[in-house]
């Protein structure tokens, strides 16, 4: 089982099982480099308030900016980051309805259109996919990094392999283990994940060398900001971020996952489909309403009231 097909099947299955926001392939590091395969964001008490703002991610720099819902501020005075990053964040926040802007004397002033609800998400569950444990790659180091940093509330390993005692010995005790069968959608919880200390400082493993490991301490405050940024990216991105193949032999299944009848499995259009494939038959890619599927099956809101209000008032800023 290729990891891409395994990952999409698992996402579709989890989406049908639980009321959460799912996303894939997200940067989950503070100082180093780490990409989490799948992230589940469990809604918190103020999830509806967040969903009412925008279906897209709100830039972290805009959330951190010294901009409130009261008096408008000159945007350049409100940000404590590089001017280019500040301008991108300001523009995105205005486009997505988090900021409102007005012009005074040739300058742009901004205020929050709505307060940001800090408690919109609860737990973050990071899932590392490794269908074949006989080809572990950097699995052990990746999981040790996740546990030591403690950015997610829980970390889980998902595999299609039979899990032996030797496998378990290479996996940190805090990591949960799922055995997932893509053919049937059955998921066995072989070991429950232990809660990580997300409210405490963490240790981020940056690089490992023979006899030496480079690490950085991450404060609890920095972790909280990174968790919020991770949740925001997941909310805006979702997991159906793949293209449909331009081939007559490929068609989306009921979850919108591209399935190739010639290969007999899900395929990634970007590197498996095209003239180099012996089974390729040129055709227009299938039209899949990914947003519609996501809205139907998760608490994500594609067209909130806040967005409609913003669109109605766009002529004010012409």
């Amino acid at each position: 089982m290729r990891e891409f097909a395994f990952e999409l099947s698992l996402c579709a299955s989890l989406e049908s099982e639980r009321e959460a926001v799912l996303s894939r392939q997200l940067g989950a590091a503070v100082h180093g480099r780490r990409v989490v395969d799948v992230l589940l964001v469990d809604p918190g008490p103020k999830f509806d308030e967040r969903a009412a703002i925008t279906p897209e991610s709100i830039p972290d720099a805009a959330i951190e900016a010294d901009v409130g819902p009261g008096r408008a501020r000159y945007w350049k005075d409100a940000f404590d980051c590089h001017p280019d990053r500040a301008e991108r964040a300001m523009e995105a926040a205005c486009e997505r309805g988090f900021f409102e802007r007005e012009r005074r004397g040739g300058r742009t002033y901004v205020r929050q259109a709505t307060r940001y609800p800090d408690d919109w998400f609860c737990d973050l569950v990071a899932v590392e996919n490794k269908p074949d444990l006989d080809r572990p790659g950097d699995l052990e180091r990746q999981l040790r990094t996740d546990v030591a940093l403690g950015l997610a509330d829980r970390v889980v390993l998902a595999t299609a392999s039979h899990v032996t005692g030797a496998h378990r010995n290479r996996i940190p005790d805090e990591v949960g283990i799922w055995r997932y069968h893509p053919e049937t959608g059955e998921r066995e919880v072989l070991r429950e994940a232990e809660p990580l200390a997300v409210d405490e400082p963490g240790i981020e493993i940056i690089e490992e060398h023979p006899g030496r490991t480079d690490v950085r301490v991450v404060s609890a405050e920095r972790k909280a900001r990174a968790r919020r940024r991770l949740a925001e990216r997941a909310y805006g991105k979702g997991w159906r971020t793949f293209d449909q193949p331009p081939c007559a032999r490929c068609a989306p299944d009921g979850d919108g996952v591209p399935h190739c009848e010639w290969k007999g499995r899900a395929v990634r259009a970007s590197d498996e489909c095209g003239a180099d494939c012996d089974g390729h038959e040129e055709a227009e890619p299938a039209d899949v309403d990914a947003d519609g599927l996501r809205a139907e099956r998760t608490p994500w809101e594609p067209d909130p009231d806040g967005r409609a209000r913003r669109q109605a008032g766009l002529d004010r800023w012409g």
Side-chain angles (χ1 to χ4, degrees):
M1 168 66 64
R2 289 175 178 255
E3 192 164 316
F4 177 75
F6 180 89
E7 185 165 289
L8 298 194
S9 177
L10 179 60
C11 283
S13 179
L14 291 172
E15 186 178 69
S16 70
E17 291 178 12
R18 55 195 295 165
E19 191 78 0
V21 171
L22 281 85
S23 191
R24 330 171 17 252
Q25 299 300 308
L26 294 170
V30 178
H31 300 291
R33 297 182 299 275
R34 178 73 177 102
V35 174
V36 63
D37 289 336
V38 175
L39 185 78
L40 292 91
V41 182
D42 287 328
K46 296 184 178 178
F47 183 89
D48 289 345
E49 293 180 29
R50 167 62 187 85
I53 300 173
T54 175
E56 301 173 272
S57 301
I58 300 173
D60 189 62
I63 299 171
E64 290 286 327
D66 189 14
V67 177
R71 183 173 61 89
R73 295 198 63 193
Y74 176 46
W75 74 271
K76 287 188 177 179
D77 293 339
F79 288 83
D80 184 21
C81 60
H82 191 280
D84 290 344
R85 182 184 176 217
E87 185 171 16
R88 289 193 300 270
M90 184 272 294
E91 291 290 347
C94 290
E95 291 169 3
R96 298 169 189 180
F98 183 56
F99 283 177
E100 293 177 339
R101 69 174 121 199
E102 59 186 72
R103 298 284 290 178
R104 300 181 194 166
R107 285 184 164 191
T108 297
Y109 287 72
V110 294
R111 64 165 60 87
Q112 279 188 11
T114 182
R115 292 187 183 277
Y116 185 82
D118 289 322
D119 297 334
W120 73 266
F121 66 93
C122 185
D123 284 359
L124 303 181
V125 181
V127 182
E128 181 68 19
N129 296 321
K130 192 59 65 175
D132 184 359
L133 289 181
D134 291 335
R135 303 170 61 186
D138 293 330
L139 178 64
E140 184 178 357
R141 179 184 59 80
Q142 291 167 339
L143 294 176
R144 283 194 294 106
T145 297
D146 294 341
V147 169
L149 178 58
L151 207 58
D153 294 86
R154 295 186 300 281
V155 176
V156 174
L157 167 67
T159 182
S161 294
H162 175 68
V163 181
T164 67
H167 292 139
R168 289 172 181 262
N169 289 338
R170 294 198 296 267
I171 300 168
D173 292 339
E174 298 87 345
V175 175
I177 303 173
W178 295 343
R179 190 176 184 201
Y180 178 67
H181 305 270
E183 299 81 5
T184 63
E186 181 184 358
R187 181 169 59 90
E188 304 169 66
V189 179
L190 303 182
R191 186 170 77 189
E192 294 284 358
E194 295 183 14
L196 301 179
V198 296
D199 295 328
E200 299 177 7
I203 303 295
E204 186 168 20
I205 299 173
I206 305 299
E207 213 167 343
E208 291 185 310
H209 310 275
R212 188 183 91 241
T213 300
D214 297 334
V215 302
R216 291 189 68 172
V217 177
V218 180
S219 69
E221 181 183 1
R222 189 73 182 269
K223 278 175 56 172
R225 294 200 302 269
R227 280 169 53 80
R228 183 185 62 208
R229 183 171 62 250
L230 188 58
E232 275 293 337
R233 288 174 178 171
Y235 189 87
K237 183 178 181 182
W239 66 269
R240 293 179 178 87
T241 56
F242 42 83
D243 294 327
Q244 295 293 325
C247 178
R249 292 191 173 188
C250 291
D253 63 14
D255 298 307
V257 175
H259 189 274
C260 173
E261 65 175 27
W262 190 76
K263 290 186 171 72
R265 56 174 173 80
V267 291
R268 193 199 308 261
S270 59
D271 58 20
E272 293 190 80
C273 300
D276 292 341
C277 174
D278 292 338
H280 181 70
E281 295 182 10
E282 188 69 28
E284 288 296 317
D287 187 15
V288 174
D289 183 7
D291 285 351
L293 287 170
R294 190 182 186 203
E296 177 187 334
R297 302 177 184 193
T298 75
W300 175 78
E301 174 56 60
D303 196 18
D305 292 341
R307 189 184 194 199
R309 183 172 62 251
R310 184 185 84 247
Q311 291 171 337
L314 283 178
D315 57 346
R316 296 175 58 194
W317 317 121

